[in-house]
Amino acid sequence: MKLFSAFALLSGVSAFTGTPLVARTVSSSSALCMKTIAVFGASGLTASECVYQALKEGDKVVGLTRTPSNLKIPQGSGGAEAGNPLTDPNLTMIAGSVTNPDDVAKVFANDDIDGCVIALGGKTSDVGDTMLTDGTKVILDAMKEKGVKRVSVVTSIGAGDSENQAPFFFKILMMTAMKKIFQDKNNQEDVVMKSGLEYCIVRPGGLTVDKPTGIINVIDGQAGSIPRADVAQFCLDAISVEDFPYIGKTPCISSVGGTGWVKDRSKAARGEEM
């Protein structure tokens, strides 16, 4: 029986304000009997948390990333092992691009995938101006072909109709240095929402590589920060809990509701300093 966070039981609740909601582990008959999940962008900071946590929960994982050797045990959940190569008998890593249908097809070739996490990243100068949208289209098409219905997609606070939930200084970045990436994120979200699949678009606040707090606030107001480890748990619950309350929705999540933040561009925030 799979375990999941108690916040997933609060169906019908669109926002948590005031006292933070502490996610605790409980069992439920509503958890799907997951065999295998696919993680796209698997070596990224948030995606690697998804890979690591899913393996710890006993799932099989198939990951696609351009450079599989970049997959490391994540700093947030990995403890003393953080930074070491992440390997496991239940982990299959595939080298490839999400914009290449043949590479994406390999993810679905040998396993019955039960759900997908899309957590793509990279600078537009490296991956192109439309990689998020183009790659997501390819993944969703492959899911439909194979009959896979459940997907969680990590975008960002400020994407779509959440622009006013972003702090002022982050809005300036969205309109200047990050304009192209947010155009891509907005188009990516549109593709997901029109897919007909059981999606959850996850819009986290300011991301950190801190240890998981177990506190996940789904908020209507301005976003605070949140560890990538907590974002990963939310994404995994979204594809593993049958009655997850945010299917077909675009929740903004943070560990600190209503508290502004400034984007941390330090190497430590990117997990480059241990």
Side-chain angles (χ1 to χ4, degrees):
M1 183 65 67
K2 196 173 181 69
L3 303 178
F4 64 95
S5 306
F7 66 80
L9 295 173
L10 300 177
S11 56
V13 179
S14 61
F16 304 114
T17 57
T19 303
L21 176 66
V22 179
R24 56 191 184 277
T25 308
V26 296
S27 61
S28 170
S29 59
S30 67
L32 300 174
C33 295
M34 298 290 288
K35 295 180 180 179
T36 305
I37 68 169
V39 180
F40 294 92
S43 62
L45 293 177
T46 301
S48 63
E49 282 282 1
C50 293
V51 173
Y52 183 78
Q53 292 182 32
L55 291 170
K56 289 298 182 182
E57 291 177 0
D59 290 327
K60 291 176 63 179
V61 178
V62 181
L64 178 69
T65 186
R66 286 169 291 174
T67 310
S69 61
N70 287 345
L71 177 62
K72 308 294 182 184
I73 296 175
Q75 186 169 336
S77 298
E81 297 298 316
N84 291 332
L86 175 49
T87 59
D88 190 278
N90 286 329
L91 173 63
T92 301
M93 289 296 293
I94 298 170
S97 169
V98 292
T99 61
N100 185 331
D102 291 336
D103 290 342
V104 171
K106 295 175 185 177
V107 174
F108 299 90
N110 298 318
D111 291 281
D112 292 327
I113 302 297
D114 296 285
C116 300
V117 177
I118 301 175
L120 306 177
K123 297 178 181 179
T124 55
S125 58
D126 295 331
V127 301
D129 294 344
T130 62
M131 181 275 292
L132 300 178
T133 304
D134 296 342
T136 298
K137 283 181 180 177
V138 173
I139 295 166
L140 299 181
D141 286 345
M143 289 179 63
K144 293 175 186 179
E145 183 178 343
K146 293 294 184 177
V148 182
K149 296 181 178 180
R150 190 67 70 92
V151 60
S152 57
V153 184
V154 182
T155 61
S156 174
I157 193 72
D161 60 4
S162 70
E163 179 180 351
N164 290 333
Q165 292 185 258
F168 175 74
F169 291 107
F170 193 66
K171 289 180 182 178
I172 294 176
L173 288 175
M174 289 167 53
M175 293 184 291
T176 55
M178 301 179 71
K179 184 175 181 179
K180 288 184 178 180
I181 188 66
F182 268 89
Q183 288 176 338
D184 198 12
K185 287 181 183 293
N186 291 339
N187 292 334
Q188 177 191 29
E189 288 196 356
D190 187 59
V191 166
V192 175
M193 288 187 281
K194 293 178 179 177
S195 67
L197 298 173
E198 298 175 5
Y199 69 84
C200 179
I201 294 174
V202 183
R203 296 168 172 169
L207 292 165
T208 74
V209 292
D210 295 339
K211 295 179 180 179
T213 65
I215 300 172
I216 301 174
N217 296 323
V218 177
I219 59 173
D220 286 332
Q222 192 176 96
S225 62
I226 185 168
R228 294 176 186 271
D230 288 327
V231 176
Q233 182 60 67
F234 192 89
C235 291
L236 293 173
D237 282 356
I239 63 171
S240 64
V241 177
E242 186 173 5
D243 55 353
F244 191 74
Y246 299 104
I247 296 302
K249 299 182 180 180
T250 57
C252 297
I253 60 174
S254 72
S255 297
V256 185
T259 300
W261 53 277
V262 177
K263 184 175 179 64
D264 188 347
R265 295 182 174 277
S266 67
K267 289 185 177 181
R270 301 193 300 270
E272 296 177 7
E273 291 182 356
M274 304 298 291

